[in-house]
Amino acid sequence: MKDTVTINEKELIAREKLNNPSFARTIWREIIHDKMAIISLILLIIILGTAYLSPLFIDQVALKRVNFLNVWKPPSAANWLGTDDGGRDVFGQLMIGARNSFTIGIAVTVIAGVIGLSYGLISGFYGGHVDNVMMRFLEFMMVLPTTMFIIVMVTIIPNYNVVSFILIMSVFLWLGKARLIRSRALQERELDYINASKTLGTPSWKIMLFEMFPNLSSLVIVNMTLTLAGNIGIETGLTFLGYGLPAGTPSLGTLVAFARNPDIVQNKWWSWLPAALLILVMMLCINFVGQAIKRASDARQRLA
Amino acid sequence: MLKFILRRTLIMIPQLILLSLVIFMLAKAMPGDAVTGAFMGNPDATPEQIEKIREKFGLNDPWYVQYGRWLGKAVKGDLGQSYTHQQPVTTLIAGRVENTVLLSLFTGIVIYLIAIPLGIIAGRWTDSWADKLIVTYNYVAFATPLFVFALLMLFVFAFVLGWFPYGGSVDIRIESGTWDYVVSRAKHLFLPVMSGAIIATVGTIQYLRNDIIDQKNKEYVKTARAKGVPEGRVYTRHILRNSLLPIAAFLGYEITGLISGSVFIETIFSYQGLGQLFIQSINLRDFTVVTALVLISGTAVVIGTMLSDIILSIVDPRIRIE
């Protein structure tokens, strides 16, 4: 008799888990049901795995060494993707560049995410005048020509380095997130659990951080995956123009920047084309996975 | 209605003032001012002389006096002097503005030429193979960075296939006003316009598709069908009239994208416009030109957004309540 009860209990828990899977499980289920998403995920893991493990195989000091006897060599067995204007191996730079671009993309996404989330939560939680003032400021920031502002800031900031670049980018990239979070927080603050907490005297920051935030977290995850690809695009784009990463830091944008010279575009395609295609493939993969996560967060759209 | 337009226009004023203030502070933070420009390459200048000049240019005044003077001049169209080009910034910009306006105008037109039919097809025949194709195009275009796409277009169509010129805005030695001139300009515009438009259609297609799907099952559409209106006319007469109107307003919001896009597009296709001038001036540290361009772009975005909001509020009264 006792045994059957325990079995039933286990079964019940199992059934409960199956019917109400965690967000991570739902995402996983959504990804394996979407052919594009699963292919993208595998491809992404391969690309990033190679890029992040590449320092183990690639001698980074040798990679930076200029060798004038080896300038602009087309692809060969020694240099899989040929060499650049300094005789440096393009494939090695591609791997290190992919790693740097992705890391910076993540850093910007996280920093911009934290700023946007805090701004949106505060604005939405307090509502009223606070919200009004904060939204007017946000609207103003949104009409600034972002690309131009980032470029100007990059040129006038003294002691410019990777960290300052990440910060400058983050300053302009939290706006959309803040607006999204704010509109959801405005709905959330009307709900009973928030009112109950307020009545109990829970400090506002605790309500925002431990009660509101968990309920908005799926929204944040979805938004962050989708903006990650965009942020990598912005970083490589600015580096391409010459206003992103400081010289000497390999990035996919640095390699694509070779294409600013028509002769190189046409005759030395191996220096820039692989980097351009890698950016494209990485962004597509991140987006396809992101779309699956987005569907997972919205029960009406799920495929699984 | 009038009240909304008035209020929306009034919001623009503090936005423009704040914008000019931010740009003024940015300009102050840029190295060099009128004096460095005047004394460039003159090592004989004594500190007293420099001080005199500073006084003359009003650089020792408090910041708000300087700001007022700067703004007053800017409003009158005096944006200062370019040091590298040795001419007024306004003249310099006027020479380039035509090219950028032409580029943005055609990009805008092509965006609608692509987006409207595709949006309608995807919205009307949801889940058909055509819809799936369009949705995939939308996904891919959303994920593709503009500069990568523009470079690939340049590589394939200008270098590998050789169908289009790879740079400039017109062939040299062609007299303006002739037919050849028009053809040459069109050829130079084609790749930049297509690159920008193909990537920028995403928002419009998605909006149109979703809106048509929304409208499809509304009561008024069912009534029309019940009255025996043919399916084709249900779309042209009833649904599209509602779905297409807001699209017109999006161009104002697109301006932000077109401006930042022009920086990339004009650099990649070495097209002589404002975006290219911006990058050149930044490279040469010609900050008077940079400040002027940021000010003009910012103002264009503020006005564009306002126009969009107003058009949208006329088309869709629900927005006015906000």
Side-chain angles (χ1 to χ4, degrees):
Chain A
M1 190 68 199
K2 214 179 167 189
D3 275 358
T4 43
V5 172
T6 28
I7 288 167
N8 275 346
E9 220 166 62
K10 270 186 188 161
E11 212 172 73
L12 270 176
I13 292 170
R15 196 174 298 159
E16 178 63 24
K17 269 193 178 162
L18 203 69
N19 289 334
N20 286 311
S22 66
F23 188 48
R25 261 202 110 72
T26 323
I27 291 175
W28 178 240
R29 239 168 41 180
E30 197 60 41
I31 288 175
I32 49 175
H33 273 85
D34 181 350
K35 236 183 279 161
M36 283 311 280
I38 189 78
I39 295 171
S40 300
L41 188 66
I42 294 169
L43 202 57
L44 202 60
I45 292 172
I46 294 173
I47 293 172
L48 292 179
T50 325
Y52 277 89
L53 293 176
S54 62
L56 298 177
F57 313 105
I58 296 172
D59 181 356
Q60 290 194 62
V61 179
L63 194 65
K64 282 183 186 162
R65 204 175 295 135
V66 176
N67 176 2
F68 285 115
L69 296 173
N70 206 23
V71 171
W72 292 127
K73 287 277 185 317
S76 65
N79 303 104
W80 292 353
L81 289 172
T83 60
D84 68 358
D85 60 344
R88 291 160 296 212
D89 181 49
V90 171
F91 180 76
Q93 289 188 65
L94 190 70
M95 286 299 114
I96 305 291
R99 191 190 59 165
N100 288 346
S101 289
F102 192 79
T103 312
I104 288 164
I106 294 263
V108 172
T109 310
V110 170
I111 297 174
V114 170
I115 303 175
L117 184 72
S118 328
Y119 197 91
L121 267 181
I122 293 172
S123 184
F125 177 79
Y126 289 106
H129 288 307
V130 176
D131 179 50
N132 229 326
V133 172
M134 288 177 86
M135 280 306 112
R136 290 298 90 75
F137 176 71
L138 188 73
E139 271 163 26
F140 169 70
M141 289 289 288
M142 287 187 111
V143 295
L144 297 179
T146 312
T147 315
M148 286 177 134
F149 262 89
I150 297 181
I151 292 174
V152 172
M153 306 260 289
V154 164
T155 14
I156 60 176
I157 269 188
N159 304 325
Y160 174 68
N161 55 33
V162 179
V163 177
S164 33
F165 176 57
I166 291 176
L167 292 178
I168 294 172
M169 266 181 83
S170 309
V171 165
F172 289 97
L173 295 174
W174 54 271
L175 309 162
K177 223 165 308 224
R179 206 159 65 161
L180 183 79
I181 299 291
R182 173 254 182 184
S183 63
R184 274 294 301 276
L186 273 179
Q187 291 168 16
E188 208 76 9
R189 74 191 277 260
E190 302 297 329
L191 299 180
D192 286 340
Y193 75 97
I194 299 289
N195 281 326
S197 281
K198 276 186 194 162
T199 323
L200 283 171
T202 317
S204 302
W205 67 269
K206 264 192 179 165
I207 303 181
M208 281 187 252
L209 204 62
F210 297 116
E211 294 176 19
M212 260 182 165
F213 171 60
N215 285 322
L216 302 178
S217 58
S218 67
L219 192 70
V220 177
I221 293 169
V222 171
N223 183 274
M224 292 242 265
T225 27
L226 288 176
T227 45
L228 170 62
N231 291 346
I232 295 175
I234 296 171
E235 181 270 308
T236 48
L238 288 167
T239 310
F240 163 76
L241 286 177
Y243 299 99
L245 290 181
T249 317
S251 140
L252 293 176
T254 331
L255 285 169
V256 184
F258 281 122
R260 287 170 67 184
N261 178 339
D263 172 54
I264 296 175
V265 175
Q266 189 175 16
N267 301 319
K268 292 156 181 112
W269 54 267
W270 59 85
S271 62
W272 66 274
L273 192 59
L277 293 175
L278 187 63
I279 294 174
L280 194 61
V281 171
M282 259 168 67
M283 309 248 306
L284 280 173
C285 288
I286 297 173
N287 264 294
F288 277 118
V289 175
Q291 294 294 345
I293 298 178
K294 191 178 171 188
R295 283 197 309 271
S297 75
D298 182 356
R300 284 168 306 174
Q301 294 183 8
R302 278 176 210 159
L303 298 175
Chain B
M1 185 69 244
L2 219 66
K3 227 171 100 188
F4 175 83
I5 294 179
L6 201 69
R7 220 175 49 206
R8 188 58 192 81
T9 320
L10 286 180
I11 291 176
M12 196 181 77
I13 295 168
Q15 273 184 340
L16 283 176
I17 292 174
L18 207 56
L19 175 77
S20 65
L21 204 61
V22 169
I23 291 170
F24 175 75
M25 289 189 310
L26 219 55
K28 281 272 130 191
M30 292 171 189
D33 50 32
V35 175
T36 1
F39 278 92
M40 217 143 39
N42 183 358
D44 295 336
T46 60
E48 292 80 38
Q49 275 175 311
I50 294 179
E51 196 48 41
K52 230 186 228 166
I53 297 274
R54 287 192 75 85
E55 198 61 51
K56 191 184 141 207
F57 277 108
L59 290 166
N60 293 331
D61 294 339
W63 69 267
Y64 48 85
V65 177
Q66 291 191 39
Y67 167 70
R69 194 164 37 222
W70 173 78
L71 191 63
K73 277 186 180 170
V75 169
K76 275 186 238 151
D78 176 9
L79 294 167
Q81 189 83 14
S82 154
Y83 299 123
T84 47
H85 293 85
Q86 295 294 335
Q87 53 174 316
V89 174
T90 341
T91 322
L92 189 65
I93 289 177
R96 302 279 195 122
V97 96
E98 185 200 333
N99 276 342
T100 296
V101 168
L102 214 60
L103 178 69
S104 323
L105 189 73
F106 279 109
T107 310
I109 294 173
V110 176
I111 288 177
Y112 290 140
L113 283 181
I114 299 175
I116 292 176
L118 291 190
I120 293 174
I121 293 169
R124 180 168 173 181
W125 291 283
T126 341
D127 284 328
S128 64
W129 61 267
D131 176 39
K132 279 181 188 137
L133 216 62
I134 293 166
V135 169
T136 311
Y137 156 59
N138 233 24
Y139 271 170
V140 174
F142 173 74
T144 310
L146 176 64
F147 80 102
V148 170
F149 184 69
L151 272 175
L152 293 177
M153 292 279 276
L154 176 76
F155 182 60
V156 174
F157 292 103
F159 287 111
V160 178
L161 298 172
W163 292 353
F164 296 98
Y166 64 82
S169 51
V170 70
D171 281 329
I172 37 170
R173 284 195 299 270
I174 292 187
E175 234 177 285
S176 76
T178 58
W179 176 245
D180 284 348
Y181 182 83
V182 177
V183 172
S184 167
R185 292 218 64 166
K187 269 190 169 171
H188 281 84
L189 263 173
F190 189 82
L191 283 181
V193 164
M194 290 316 275
S195 313
I198 288 175
I199 295 295
T201 46
V202 177
T204 317
I205 295 183
Q206 199 161 29
Y207 172 82
L208 200 53
R209 179 177 182 269
N210 291 345
D211 202 63
I212 291 176
I213 293 174
D214 261 5
Q215 306 275 352
K216 242 170 25 179
N217 296 314
K218 288 253 168 82
E219 292 297 327
Y220 77 94
V221 176
K222 282 184 189 158
T223 315
R225 281 203 193 102
K227 281 196 311 191
V229 178
E231 195 61 18
R233 267 173 72 113
V234 168
Y235 279 91
T236 49
R237 274 292 172 83
H238 298 270
I239 295 181
L240 288 185
R241 190 171 284 180
N242 283 317
S243 297
L244 278 182
L245 281 172
I247 297 278
F250 286 160
L251 193 62
Y253 300 124
E254 300 265 14
I255 289 179
T256 327
L258 287 178
I259 285 175
S260 57
S262 77
V263 175
F264 289 103
I265 294 278
E266 290 180 9
T267 306
I268 290 169
F269 293 99
S270 34
Y271 183 86
Q272 305 267 316
L274 296 181
Q276 197 201 28
L277 180 66
F278 175 75
I279 293 296
Q280 280 172 352
S281 307
I282 282 265
N283 284 338
L284 296 166
R285 300 291 185 267
D286 195 345
F287 286 122
T288 353
V289 184
V290 171
T291 313
L293 286 172
V294 179
L295 185 68
I296 291 172
S297 313
T299 314
V301 176
V302 171
I303 295 175
T305 322
M306 178 201 67
L307 287 179
S308 278
D309 281 354
I310 291 179
I311 297 174
L312 261 185
S313 80
I314 296 172
V315 177
D316 188 349
R318 281 170 301 177
I319 289 163
R320 261 175 273 161
I321 302 164
E322 247 194 281

